[in-house]
Amino acid sequence: MRSGIAAVLAIFILLMPMSLSASPENQLEPLSFLPLWRPQAQFAGFYVALEKGFYRQNGIDLQFIQGGPNRSPGNYLIDGKADVALLWLSNAIQLAASGADVVNLAQVVQRSALMMVSRKSSGIVSPADMEGKKIAMWPADFQIQPRAFFAKYHLNVQTVTAANTLNLFLRGGVDLALVMWYNEFHTLMTYGIDPDELNTIFFPDYDLNFPEDGIYVLGDTWFKKADLLCRFVMASLEGWYYAFEHPDEALDIVIPVMEKNFVPANRIHQRWMLDRMQNLIDPGRNGTKTFELKESDFQRVSTVLHNDNLIMFSPNFEYFSKGCVHHAKK
Amino acid sequence: MLRNSGIAFKLGVFILTGVTLIFLSIFAVNYLSSRRLILKNLANNAENLTLNIVNRIDAVLAPIQKIPETAAIWIENTDYTREELLDVLEKSVRNNPEVYGSAIAFEPYAFDSSSYYFSPYYYKQGDDIRFTAIGGKDYHYFYYDWYVVPKELGASAWSEPYFDEGAGNILMATYSTPFYRKDGDRRVFTGVITMDVSLEWLQSIVGNIHVLETGYGFLISKNGTFVTHPSARNIMNETLFSLNEELSHPHMREIGRNMIQGKTGFTRSKDPGSQVEGYLYYAPVNANGWSLGVFFPADEALLDIHKLNQIVVFLAVSGIVILGIVIVSIAGSITRPLQHLTGVVQSIASGNLDTVLPPAVSRDEVGRLRDAFNQMQISLKGYIHNLTETTAAKERIESELTIAHDIQMGILPKIFPGPPSCPQFSIHAKLIPAREVGGDLYDFFFLDSDHFCFTVGDVSGKGVPASLFMAITRTLIKTKFNAGVDPATVMTRVNEDLSMDNPSMMFVTTFVGILNIRTGHLWYCNAGHNPPYLIVAENDVRPLVSPQGIALGVMEGFEFQNSEMMISSGQTLFLYTDGVTESIDTREKQFGETRLKACLSESIRLSTEDMVNAVVEQVQEHAGTMAQFDDITVMSLRFFGAECQESKG
């Protein structure tokens, strides 16, 4: 019942942003937001902040645009279809280096969840074992880390680009698959694969940590609405904290949104995803602040991209990172 | 506890326990075998049902598979025009009612060197067949499962089920066949032909599976995703492994893995959804490797047998109760007379011998027991009657013996002459009979003022006959003494009288002495008696020698002889019967003459009375706890004689 109410409320808010902002007693500033992908617990903090009214409390009338495979956050940002979007750091740096005026407000995911899995039976335990093997990879920026990995270890690996890496992997079409720790890795478990049947390679373990989801806007938007944007960041942060403290309630908010958008949803899987997001966002370790973009991470990603000839020069970190966490304190 | 219980109770417990055990064994065997039979039937039914549905699904999917496979052969072997290609594609959608849409998707620039994407697609919309070209900046079809999986596998493949937004969110699956072009000897991958099939009909086919009350069927894809399930929420959202935390249980996970690996099986399982215990039959759909499962709850499967069990248990319990009542009544009819008899016998046992036994009603063991008790009662009565009489007679005899004892003791002289009334000598004697009356005797009396006669005798045997013989002997001795008669004459006469008519052949040893209390002259005659001792001084105790005489009453006409001697002043004469020297202790050692002499020697300074008591005490001390065997008689006579005269004079 509770989730039902949450779903109705979420839809209501999604459909009615204009009318709300237009009402005189509600002096809410409109803002549109596009996450990286379809609704799932990867974005639980944002959905929770919306559902719990944290955005409205911060004077934001948020238009939550549902993400999906056909909605490129970069394009939406540049085309002005979304004020705020989630981008991977590697993607954002490329955009910035190619001349797009995108700036980072906050780095949500600190640690790369991208990983490679193979069946134990294929005997791939070290980078060298991957020589001549076939790997299924998602298109575009997902391939930056694995390609850098192959280059680093001078591997000749056959790559197959696929929108869904798992079916190809499960049916024996490839030896390895690129998966996300918080998502497809656990999906394999729900497909009857036991963890001990798999070998895993995490990129951060090979000095290829690419922080992933970050909150981005165009520089122009930043200069006009810095305060509003940072209120958005802080409300989102509040949403994440709330989601980690109340995981069941967070799932009760996220799952109805998934069902409404015909996204296959099962609770165990979403719970796994939320728990992993906490691991990835967790500020506790290394003295990193939640939502802070570290310059070392920025430099590492830039260097890899530069070496890969994906960028000609590294954007200016001072300009690129707006650091809403610090800004808000000022 | 059982040991102290009644026969009826024991009988009931043992028989009912036995019957219950037999019933339980039969019940268990019956339950297990009928359960096995029922489950076997259910498994057969489930198998038939599952295979039937699987075959029906295959019957739909298999022909669909033929379409793109035939088309692929045609494409590979024909120089087709764009129009011919579209015509074939359009017809394959139009002529196959199960097909929702069909596409032929080419590799980049493979159909037309000027176009990166080429993928014509016909699909149904209502009754119309519509056309669209797939591919574009936002839809790189090369990356999708329906394209990339057959491409990489080099074989036809069914996609995982998916919801098609364009077709109105209906559940679909796509069958894709790769096709190739010949480049010399090589076959170069050129694209795939796809058939989109609506899976809505699966819902109704599988949804119509009903086993028992709530048993149902479900279909899962190769990944374990629910394609159909009674709970619509699970379809496409959950897999067999994600539905419930319980499914992480190894057994359930193993079942799921068997299913997605295309195995067939019947196993005990939990309902993947509700976790109810039950049974699962599963078999694969051959066309696409999906798996159909039919689950039915164990409760329902075994409902009939449980009902039957309830009836059986009810009948068994009723039977056991009736049997119990029968046992109690039979056992009661056996034990009731026994209980009655027990009560009466207890009354008899407490002494009431006149209690009347219940009348005999049967000739069984109880009847015979009653007769035995009756006989016992009669015997007991007779015995007690005899005992009463015997006891009375014994008491009478004892009473008479007591009187006889008193009489016997009464005839013995009680007053012992001695100083100061008789300063010439001192005498003391004691007789202790072994029984109420004894055969020993002693006596003394004055024949005249100077002559003092004394005698000690011992009759053969003991008890009443001896005491009577003793009385006769004493009387005879006393009456035969006249003034001036010597002891041997008296002995001879008494012997005459005793021997003359002595049918019981009794005899008596006797010592008779006459002491002249003025001179110390002693006349004496010994008729077979222990020689008395003359205590002369300390350590000088001499037996009084005399011609050997026989006991009185043995030989008629025997002539006894006198002996005589002088007793000096202060000497003591000690007479005794063999009860003294033959007294035995607990080790059957006799007191003996040596000890008697020693005792006398020690007692030399005691008065005659103390000497007698000292000897008796020593004998009794010697005997200890041993009952006195023979009559004991001792007599001590001390002569003072001249000294007294002088002192008087």
Side-chain angles (χ1 to χ4, degrees):
Chain A
M1 195 59 209
R2 185 196 177 109
S3 61
I5 292 168
V8 169
L9 200 61
I11 299 310
F12 180 74
I13 291 165
L14 288 172
L15 295 179
M16 305 301 285
M18 300 310 287
S19 62
L20 281 173
S21 61
S23 60
E25 70 273 20
N26 256 315
Q27 294 304 315
L28 299 176
E29 294 178 68
L31 196 67
S32 58
F33 169 65
L34 175 66
L36 268 163
W37 195 246
R38 291 174 175 134
Q40 55 183 356
Q42 182 186 356
F43 314 113
F46 302 103
Y47 287 105
V48 167
L50 181 67
E51 169 70 19
K52 301 299 288 184
F54 298 160
Y55 292 126
R56 293 167 66 84
Q57 287 162 18
N58 283 279
I60 303 164
D61 170 25
L62 190 71
Q63 185 200 354
F64 207 125
I65 305 166
Q66 295 306 341
N70 298 327
R71 282 175 178 155
S72 158
N75 292 345
Y76 264 59
L77 214 51
I78 292 162
D79 296 346
K81 290 184 195 167
D83 297 325
V84 186
L86 291 180
L87 291 173
W88 277 22
L89 179 58
S90 55
N91 188 9
I93 292 175
Q94 286 179 81
L95 287 174
S98 66
D101 184 16
V102 294
V103 292
N104 178 296
L105 300 186
Q107 187 58 42
V108 180
V109 170
Q110 297 288 349
R111 185 182 148 89
S112 177
L114 197 66
M115 62 190 290
M116 294 181 282
V117 294
S118 60
R119 287 183 188 273
K120 275 246 160 73
S121 53
S122 63
I124 299 168
V125 288
S126 68
D129 297 326
M130 290 173 64
E131 179 67 27
K133 301 290 185 188
K134 211 185 221 182
I135 181 167
M137 304 198 294
W138 293 305
D141 287 356
F142 291 105
Q143 303 192 354
I144 297 170
Q145 274 162 287
R147 286 186 192 285
F149 181 87
F150 303 147
K152 183 173 180 177
Y153 293 100
H154 312 291
L155 297 170
N156 183 22
V157 177
Q158 298 179 62
T159 64
V160 176
T161 303
N164 178 336
T165 57
L166 294 185
N167 287 327
L168 208 48
F169 175 68
L170 288 169
R171 298 192 189 194
V174 290
D175 303 300
L176 295 118
L178 204 58
V179 298
M180 299 301 290
W181 184 38
Y182 54 72
N183 193 358
E184 290 81 4
F185 181 71
H186 183 260
T187 302
L188 286 172
M189 311 298 119
T190 68
Y191 286 173
I193 307 285
D194 293 335
D196 60 11
E197 291 178 292
L198 296 174
N199 283 333
T200 58
I201 293 173
F202 287 91
F203 289 105
D205 296 339
Y206 295 87
D207 199 24
L208 283 168
N209 185 30
F210 278 30
E212 291 164 0
D213 310 11
I215 302 173
Y216 291 87
V217 293
L218 292 179
D220 203 28
T221 316
W222 168 256
F223 291 117
K224 284 184 195 156
K225 306 176 177 176
D227 185 57
L228 171 66
L229 295 173
C230 283
R231 275 186 278 138
F232 171 81
V233 169
M234 299 318 288
S236 303
L237 189 58
E238 196 183 345
W240 276 112
Y241 282 146
Y242 190 89
F244 294 148
E245 281 164 22
H246 308 90
D248 285 320
E249 190 181 347
L251 295 181
D252 288 341
I253 291 169
V254 172
I255 288 172
V257 180
M258 297 176 71
E259 287 169 346
K260 198 72 197 170
N261 288 277
F262 302 104
V263 179
N266 78 62
R267 199 175 178 87
I268 290 173
H269 184 59
Q270 292 303 314
R271 178 62 194 249
W272 164 275
M273 189 179 285
L274 183 58
D275 290 346
R276 298 294 78 74
M277 289 310 289
Q278 187 167 11
N279 298 143
L280 299 169
I281 295 173
D282 185 9
R285 280 173 291 183
N286 309 328
T288 312
K289 280 209 179 80
T290 312
F291 277 26
E292 183 190 23
L293 173 61
K294 280 193 294 182
E295 189 166 2
S296 59
D297 285 335
F298 175 86
Q299 295 303 348
R300 180 190 311 113
V301 176
S302 294
T303 305
V304 170
L305 292 173
H306 194 263
N307 292 344
D308 217 7
N309 292 323
L310 289 169
I311 57 173
M312 302 305 290
F313 67 93
S314 182
N316 181 297
F317 179 73
E318 292 300 319
Y319 179 81
F320 183 81
S321 174
K322 295 305 177 193
C324 253
V325 187
H326 302 294
H327 180 88
K329 284 186 178 160
K330 284 172 207 162
Chain B
M1 196 198 85
L2 200 61
R3 186 171 301 188
N4 298 328
S5 308
I7 291 173
F9 181 77
K10 280 180 191 166
L11 205 60
V13 166
F14 286 128
I15 292 178
L16 290 182
T17 305
V19 169
T20 305
L21 285 176
I22 291 168
F23 165 73
L24 285 178
S25 310
I26 293 172
F27 178 79
V29 170
N30 179 57
Y31 173 75
L32 291 176
S33 52
S34 43
R35 180 189 143 110
R36 199 182 307 128
L37 208 63
I38 283 177
L39 285 179
K40 195 181 166 194
N41 285 339
L42 277 169
N44 284 341
N45 288 346
E47 182 180 8
N48 291 337
L49 194 62
T50 309
L51 295 181
N52 179 29
I53 300 293
V54 160
N55 289 338
R56 279 172 68 186
I57 296 171
D58 273 329
V60 175
L61 297 184
I64 291 170
Q65 295 177 178
K66 292 286 177 219
I67 304 166
E69 281 162 9
T70 312
I73 294 166
W74 174 73
I75 288 174
E76 282 187 46
N77 296 293
T78 316
D79 288 327
Y80 47 85
T81 64
R82 182 191 173 97
E83 284 68 33
E84 284 171 339
L85 195 70
L86 294 182
D87 186 49
V88 166
L89 197 60
E90 196 262 349
K91 278 179 178 157
S92 67
V93 176
R94 184 180 298 281
N95 298 338
N96 293 290
E98 297 85 4
V99 175
Y100 170 77
S102 178
I104 301 181
F106 281 81
E107 282 279 271
Y109 310 113
F111 181 78
D112 179 350
S113 59
S114 66
S115 49
Y116 184 74
Y117 305 104
F118 183 74
S119 176
Y121 178 57
Y122 281 98
Y123 63 99
K124 285 175 181 147
Q125 181 126 46
D127 293 335
D128 295 340
I129 306 290
R130 300 282 179 89
F131 172 84
T132 188
I134 300 174
K137 201 175 124 197
D138 285 340
Y139 193 65
H140 290 266
Y141 60 76
F142 317 111
Y143 298 164
Y144 285 79
D145 275 353
W146 59 264
Y147 190 92
V148 76
V149 170
K151 177 186 174 183
E152 294 301 328
L153 292 177
S156 299
W158 279 98
S159 74
E160 281 290 292
Y162 59 91
F163 280 115
D164 189 282
E165 291 179 43
N169 272 316
I170 58 168
L171 193 63
M172 296 239 254
T174 298
Y175 186 72
S176 311
T177 300
F179 62 88
Y180 302 83
R181 69 182 160 75
K182 288 182 180 129
D183 183 10
D185 290 342
R186 288 195 321 133
R187 292 170 83 219
V188 178
F189 175 79
T190 312
V192 301
I193 306 171
T194 70
M195 295 287 144
D196 296 343
V197 182
S198 161
L199 300 179
E200 296 301 301
W201 55 278
L202 281 176
Q203 298 286 359
S204 61
I205 288 185
V206 181
N208 276 333
I209 296 177
H210 296 295
V211 183
L212 303 167
E213 286 289 313
T214 59
Y216 66 92
F218 62 89
L219 190 66
I220 56 167
S221 75
K222 266 186 101 62
N223 290 349
T225 306
F226 284 102
V227 182
T228 78
H229 192 272
S231 166
R233 207 203 156 281
N234 290 336
I235 297 170
M236 299 301 292
N237 278 342
E238 300 284 353
T239 74
L240 200 52
F241 306 93
S242 72
L243 195 55
N244 205 301
E245 300 281 2
E246 268 301 308
L247 291 172
S248 55
H249 188 276
H251 177 64
M252 295 301 294
R253 212 169 159 82
E254 189 59 36
I255 293 172
R257 284 161 68 101
N258 285 341
M259 287 183 77
I260 61 176
Q261 283 164 14
K263 293 179 183 169
T264 301
F266 178 68
T267 179
R268 195 167 176 97
S269 155
K270 284 183 174 176
D271 183 330
S274 68
Q275 298 297 299
V276 170
E277 286 285 346
Y279 296 90
L280 178 69
Y281 188 89
Y282 54 89
V285 176
N286 291 324
N288 56 9
W290 296 0
S291 185
L292 180 70
V294 171
F295 174 86
F296 52 91
D299 287 352
E300 294 172 15
L302 303 173
L303 190 65
D304 286 342
I305 195 172
H306 285 159
K307 278 182 183 166
L308 184 67
N309 283 347
Q310 283 170 2
I311 293 169
V312 170
V313 167
F314 172 75
L315 289 177
V317 170
S318 311
I320 287 171
V321 167
I322 290 168
L323 186 62
I325 292 168
V326 170
I327 290 169
V328 166
S329 62
I330 290 177
S333 74
I334 294 170
T335 57
R336 217 171 295 118
L338 267 179
Q339 284 170 356
H340 191 191
L341 194 59
T342 305
V344 174
V345 171
Q346 274 172 351
S347 166
I348 293 171
S350 65
N352 191 1
L353 283 177
D354 292 328
T355 309
V356 180
L357 281 166
V361 289
S362 64
R363 296 307 311 154
D364 60 7
E365 289 85 346
V366 179
R368 291 205 289 278
L369 185 65
R370 180 235 170 251
D371 289 348
F373 273 120
N374 193 27
Q375 195 57 47
M376 188 181 85
Q377 192 181 17
I378 291 165
S379 302
L380 269 176
K381 275 183 182 171
Y383 176 73
I384 285 173
H385 179 73
N386 288 343
L387 195 63
T388 311
E389 285 185 346
T390 309
T391 308
K394 188 175 175 244
E395 279 171 0
R396 194 175 61 245
I397 291 166
E398 276 175 0
S399 159
E400 286 168 359
L401 278 174
T402 307
I403 295 166
H405 170 85
D406 292 346
I407 291 170
Q408 191 182 31
M409 289 299 132
I411 61 177
L412 294 174
K414 300 279 183 322
I415 299 162
F416 300 101
S421 62
C422 176
Q424 290 86 350
F425 71 99
S426 163
I427 188 167
H428 199 87
K430 195 167 222 176
L431 187 154
I432 305 168
R435 299 188 188 163
E436 280 80 358
V437 290
D440 281 10
L441 66 96
Y442 73 85
D443 200 4
F444 50 82
F445 46 87
F446 281 96
L447 291 176
D448 53 41
S449 58
D450 290 338
H451 293 93
F452 180 74
C453 178
F454 58 93
T455 177
V456 169
D458 182 1
V459 179
S460 63
K462 290 181 281 290
V464 174
S467 70
L468 290 174
F469 204 76
M470 168 259 184
I472 293 167
T473 307
R474 179 183 169 277
T475 308
L476 283 174
I477 291 173
K478 205 159 187 174
T479 53
K480 297 298 176 190
F481 265 108
N482 295 318
V485 177
D486 62 286
T489 309
V490 170
M491 287 300 202
T492 304
R493 289 177 186 169
V494 169
N495 181 48
E496 285 300 310
D497 288 357
L498 288 177
S499 322
M500 200 184 302
D501 187 17
N502 186 9
S504 53
M505 290 300 289
M506 295 188 77
F507 58 87
V508 57
T509 62
T510 311
F511 180 92
V512 174
I514 298 172
L515 177 68
N516 186 325
I517 59 171
R518 297 196 187 279
T519 61
H521 175 261
L522 176 69
W523 270 24
Y524 63 92
C525 176
N526 190 346
H529 197 75
N530 307 52
Y533 286 109
L534 179 69
I535 307 162
V536 179
E538 205 167 334
N539 295 325
D540 186 4
V541 179
R542 304 172 191 161
L544 211 59
V545 291
S546 59
Q548 193 59 46
I550 59 168
L552 301 178
V554 175
M555 189 187 287
E556 207 177 338
F558 186 80
E559 289 289 333
F560 289 89
Q561 292 178 15
N562 281 316
S563 300
E564 59 185 316
M565 66 174 293
M566 289 300 293
I567 297 176
S568 305
S569 172
Q571 290 182 339
T572 306
L573 203 57
F574 184 83
L575 293 87
Y576 64 98
T577 59
D578 56 7
V580 174
T581 51
E582 289 171 11
S583 164
I584 53 172
D585 64 6
T586 50
R587 288 170 296 180
E588 298 196 346
K589 190 186 168 194
Q590 292 191 346
F591 188 74
E593 291 171 3
T594 311
R595 186 155 176 203
L596 178 61
K597 281 167 78 177
C599 178
L600 295 174
S601 181
E602 285 167 15
S603 309
I604 191 164
R605 302 200 192 288
L606 297 178
S607 68
T608 50
E609 182 177 358
D610 289 345
M611 180 182 279
V612 164
N613 288 336
V615 171
V616 170
E617 264 174 39
Q618 288 227 0
V619 170
Q620 285 176 341
E621 192 182 310
H622 173 76
T625 55
M626 286 296 283
Q628 188 183 333
F629 172 72
D630 199 359
D631 303 331
I632 294 172
T633 303
V634 288
M635 178 183 280
S636 173
L637 188 154
R638 183 168 296 154
F639 176 68
F640 301 122
E643 281 175 34
C644 287
Q645 251 181 342
E646 281 168 15
S647 68
K648 262 189 167 181

